[in-house]
């Protein structure tokens, strides 16, 4: 059913500027350096994606673990469709296991001549009935646990946003009940070429399957024009997309100039992008086997000299990680880790895995902090429009995946400190060798460690009792889940 009112009548794209025009003053630096700008606020990160989509000129390539059809997902999809209408080639690669859209809706989008969708490792969800799902789970346990957890948003091969955020309400502060404290990094020029090449590798791999191989469009009645019009009206409706946020999008050219002139935006000589290959490992070691991101992070921790600060929503450790952190603390390195508390976590299975080895991890000499569901920092990073909505005070859970080594190297990516990220899911990390970026990120993370934002867990204390009794009960029923898939 179409909205009765044409909300889009007064909304126009500014045709007086282009992405190339905005990048022209810095184009020379883009050849040899990477512009780096970290994004803490969901509002800011959403606005950046929207504006880049609106002013893309040739290509938009995105890959995500989760791409939901909630409010943010529908608005993002409308932006992508309008870019495709202008002739921009849009490619969307999403992992199969978390796709919550109907097959016919995906086929409608894929029908656009400039928009293509592929599904990564489609062995458990799309195009499968209950019987084929059960058969796959029983015969291909390792395969169904190898997911694509990479998150990249690349425009014209020149600008990239990567980090912890998926495409869903809770990653951009649009959920009224539960949102994530997350982090992305905007990369301009430089390493963007490598990220584009990585996307092309995934896109061309056999594990990335065209939608029409999973479902025949002739089997469905596809209302293409009606759906496109509905999406456009939905995204223009101020009830769905706050006008003050749309106003920010229109002001991005000014923000580009302000960001470039700010101390937060830095040109960095050495930025590395490390991504696992599609499939990650060959299965010869079962559910173990590691990958490029795992090897790189191990090397960074082993070579730390003074301090390691980590944020990870899920902290499921093994004997290897215990020995790694013990060796670090014994050589005098301060190791601090922030993870979710039982009260803030969205994943009881992962928290159960953390509970099993929490004491052992503390005995290695690391400091552990657990995020509070009502952390005060949420008011610094939460979308202003949500704060203005009277009566809404959503729980915040940690979702940022970051590390700072010796206040000299910053790592922002998709890697959770757990066996799943280490051995099964493909992950990607951006390693920024910059004292300024590292120090700024370190100071930001230090705020999250403060008592108003987290509890310090010790051998004598943990904050599990701060969670509801129901949550305390439920988490203890997850003991049967193997740690190797957490």
């Amino acid at each position: 059913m179409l909205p009765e009112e044409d909300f889009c009548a007064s909304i126009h794209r500014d045709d007086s500027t282009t992405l190339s025009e905005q990048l022209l003053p810095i184009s020379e630096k883009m050849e040899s350096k990477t512009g780096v700008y970290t994004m803490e606020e969901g509002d800011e990160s959403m606005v950046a994606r929207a504006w880049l989509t609106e002013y893309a000129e040739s290509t938009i390539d995105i890959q995500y673990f989760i791409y939901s059809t909630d409010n943010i997902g529908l608005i993002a999809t409308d932006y992508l469709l309008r870019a495709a209408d202008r002739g921009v080639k849009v490619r969307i690669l999403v992992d199969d296991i978390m796709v919550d859209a109907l097959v016919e809706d995906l086929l409608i989008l894929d029908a656009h001549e400039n928009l293509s969708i592929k599904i990564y490792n489609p062995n458990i969800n799309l195009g499968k009935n209950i019987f084929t799902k059960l058969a796959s789970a029983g015969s291909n346990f390792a395969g169904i646990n190898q997911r694509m957890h990479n998150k990249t948003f690349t425009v014209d091969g020149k600008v990239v946003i990567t980090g912890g955020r998926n495409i869903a309400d809770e990653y951009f502060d649009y959920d009224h009940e539960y949102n994530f404290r997350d982090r992305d990094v905007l990369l301009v020029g430089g390493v963007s070429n490598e990220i584009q090449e990585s996307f092309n590798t995934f896109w061309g791999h056999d594990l990335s399957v065209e939608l029409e191989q999973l479902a025949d469009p002739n089997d469905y009645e596809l209302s293409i024009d009606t759906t496109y019009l509905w999406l456009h009206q939905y995204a223009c409706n101020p009830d769905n997309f706050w006008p003050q946020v749309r106003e920010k999008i229109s002001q991005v050219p000014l923000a580009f100039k302000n960001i470039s002139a700010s101390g937060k935006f830095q040109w960095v000589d050495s930025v590395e992008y490390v991504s696992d290959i599609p499939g990650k490992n060959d299965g010869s070691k079962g559910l173990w086997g590691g990958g490029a991101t795992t090897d790189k992070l191990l090397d960074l921790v082993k070579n730390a000299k003074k301090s390691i600060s980590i944020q990870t929503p899920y902290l499921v450790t093994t004997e290897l990680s215990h020995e790694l952190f013990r060796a670090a603390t014994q050589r005098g390195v301060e190791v601090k880790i922030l993870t979710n508390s039982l009260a803030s976590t969205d994943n009881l299975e992962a928290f159960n895995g953390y509970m099993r080895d929490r004491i052992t991890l503390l005995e290695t000499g690391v400091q552990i902090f657990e995020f509070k569901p009502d952390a005060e920092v949420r008011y610094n990073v939460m979308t202003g429009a949500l704060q203005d909505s009277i009566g809404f005070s959503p729980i915040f859970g940690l979702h940022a995946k970051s590390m700072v080594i010796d206040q000299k190297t910053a790592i922002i990516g998709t890697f959770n400190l757990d066996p799943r990220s280490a051995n099964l899911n493909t992950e990607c990390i951006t390693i920024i060798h910059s004292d300024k970026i590292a120090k700024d990120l370190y100071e930001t993370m230090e705020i999250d460690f403060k008592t108003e934002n987290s509890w310090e867990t010790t051998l004598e204390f943990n904050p599990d009792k701060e969670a509801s009794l129901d949550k305390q009960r439920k988490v203890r029923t997850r003991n049967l889940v193997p740690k190797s898939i957490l």
Side-chain angles (χ1 to χ4, degrees):
M1 181 177 178
L2 291 174
E4 294 181 2
E5 184 176 351
D6 183 5
F7 294 109
C8 302
S10 62
I11 297 174
H12 302 283
R13 176 176 173 272
D14 182 3
D15 294 322
S16 68
T17 190
T18 64
L19 179 59
S20 293
E21 181 180 308
Q22 295 300 318
L23 296 176
L24 186 61
I26 57 176
S27 59
E28 192 170 318
K29 286 186 177 180
M30 289 170 59
E31 296 296 324
S32 58
K33 300 176 185 290
T34 303
V36 179
Y37 182 80
T38 58
M39 294 187 291
E40 306 290 335
E41 300 172 19
D43 188 357
E44 182 179 41
S45 197
M46 181 186 67
V47 166
R49 283 173 171 85
W51 192 90
L52 289 169
T53 303
E54 191 83 327
Y55 293 93
E57 295 171 81
S58 58
T59 60
I60 301 173
D61 291 325
I62 64 178
Q63 60 182 141
Y64 284 98
F65 178 59
I66 299 172
Y67 193 120
S68 294
T69 53
D70 57 11
N71 192 54
I72 286 292
L74 291 173
I75 292 169
T77 300
D78 176 65
Y79 269 79
L80 292 171
L81 273 173
R82 289 193 283 116
D85 286 341
R86 299 196 314 271
V88 176
K89 297 295 183 182
V90 179
R91 296 186 292 179
I92 302 172
L93 177 61
V94 64
D95 189 87
D96 175 57
I97 201 167
M98 295 298 286
V99 175
D100 65 353
L102 297 175
V103 169
E104 51 263 48
D105 291 339
L106 296 175
L107 287 169
I108 287 171
L109 295 176
D110 191 62
H112 196 293
E113 63 178 352
N114 291 324
L115 195 153
S116 301
I117 299 174
K118 284 189 177 183
I119 307 299
Y120 182 87
N121 198 10
N123 54 14
I124 195 66
N125 188 7
L126 283 180
K128 306 290 189 299
N129 58 39
I130 184 63
F131 301 106
T132 54
K133 288 180 181 181
L134 289 172
S136 181
S139 63
N140 188 22
F141 185 73
I144 65 173
N145 277 287
Q146 289 186 306
R147 313 315 319 173
M148 182 193 72
H149 200 235
N150 295 51
K151 295 151 191 170
T152 63
F153 179 96
T154 306
V155 177
D156 293 342
K158 300 174 183 178
V159 183
V160 175
I161 297 174
T162 185
R165 291 183 174 94
N166 291 292
I167 303 299
D169 285 355
E170 58 268 30
Y171 298 94
F172 298 92
D173 309 338
Y174 257 67
D175 193 290
H176 291 164
E177 295 181 3
Y178 184 95
N179 285 293
F180 285 119
R181 194 271 183 270
D182 217 329
R183 180 175 296 111
D184 282 327
V185 61
L186 175 73
L187 304 167
V188 182
V191 78
S192 299
N193 291 328
E194 296 174 32
I195 299 175
Q196 180 70 70
E197 290 173 6
S198 175
F199 176 89
N200 291 340
T201 297
F202 272 87
W203 186 261
H205 196 273
D206 290 344
L207 283 170
S208 300
V209 179
E210 292 181 359
L211 198 58
E212 290 190 6
Q213 293 184 32
L214 302 175
D216 187 346
N218 295 318
D219 293 340
Y220 301 87
E221 294 184 8
L222 304 180
S223 53
I224 296 174
D225 291 340
T226 301
T227 300
Y228 290 0
L229 179 58
W230 184 91
L231 272 171
H232 194 31
Q233 291 292 328
Y234 181 93
C236 294
N237 188 334
D239 290 339
N240 304 321
F241 196 16
W242 287 309
Q244 56 267 52
V245 177
R246 191 180 285 279
E247 178 65 21
K248 284 187 178 182
I249 296 170
S250 70
Q251 296 173 352
V252 168
L254 176 61
F256 245 77
K257 294 182 177 66
N258 293 340
I259 288 171
S260 298
S262 74
K264 190 177 175 182
F265 182 88
Q266 293 287 305
W267 288 104
V268 181
D269 291 318
S270 179
V271 177
E272 301 175 67
Y273 177 75
V274 181
S275 174
D276 294 314
I277 60 173
K280 187 113 174 187
N281 61 58
D282 61 8
S284 61
K285 296 182 180 180
L287 296 177
W288 306 92
T293 55
T294 306
D295 293 343
K296 188 65 180 182
L297 290 170
L298 287 172
D299 185 63
L300 287 165
V301 172
K302 287 177 181 177
N303 287 284
K305 295 177 173 58
K306 295 180 180 179
S307 64
I308 303 170
S309 295
I310 298 172
Q311 287 186 341
T312 177
Y314 315 121
L315 180 58
V316 183
T317 52
T318 63
E319 186 176 341
L320 172 63
S321 50
H322 297 158
E323 291 304 316
L324 186 70
F325 289 130
R326 183 177 289 109
T329 59
Q330 287 179 349
R331 66 176 184 268
V333 177
E334 179 189 61
V335 182
K336 298 171 68 174
I337 304 174
L338 175 66
T339 192
N340 274 306
S341 63
L342 180 57
S344 68
T345 190
D346 68 319
N347 188 328
L348 293 181
E349 287 76 15
F351 194 87
N352 179 283
Y354 161 60
M355 288 174 64
R356 297 181 211 178
D357 287 325
R358 180 162 47 190
I359 296 299
T360 303
L361 182 58
L362 283 164
E363 288 173 342
T364 69
V366 307
Q367 292 177 267
I368 299 177
F369 297 80
E370 298 186 22
F371 200 58
K372 292 181 176 180
D374 57 351
E376 288 188 15
V377 72
R378 62 183 169 165
Y379 295 110
N380 297 329
V381 299
M382 185 166 53
T383 298
L386 180 56
Q387 293 189 52
D388 292 340
S389 300
I390 298 174
F392 293 122
S393 184
I395 292 171
F396 254 45
L398 181 69
H399 197 259
K401 305 103 167 19
S402 305
M403 184 183 300
V404 178
I405 305 290
D406 296 335
Q407 296 188 48
K408 293 182 176 297
T409 303
I411 302 99
I412 298 172
T414 66
F415 196 104
N416 296 310
L417 216 169
D418 59 21
R420 173 168 288 280
S421 285
N423 302 297
L424 293 171
N425 292 346
T426 68
E427 306 287 352
C428 62
I429 55 175
T430 303
I431 305 167
I432 306 153
H433 301 280
S434 162
D435 290 0
K436 171 63 175 172
I437 296 290
K439 184 179 180 183
D440 286 351
L441 181 54
Y442 174 84
E443 291 176 353
T444 297
M445 291 168 70
E446 279 293 298
I447 293 173
D448 292 339
F449 284 120
K450 288 185 175 181
T451 55
E452 61 265 32
N453 298 313
S454 63
W455 293 286
E456 182 172 5
T457 294
T458 67
L459 292 171
E460 293 76 32
F461 167 80
N462 70 66
D464 291 356
K465 67 179 185 303
E466 300 294 335
S468 67
L469 291 175
D470 186 53
K471 209 171 186 182
Q472 293 179 54
R473 178 184 59 79
K474 286 180 178 178
V475 74
R476 298 190 182 280
T477 68
R478 269 58 175 186
N479 282 328
L480 295 178
V481 181
K483 284 178 61 178
S484 58
I485 63 170
L486 291 176

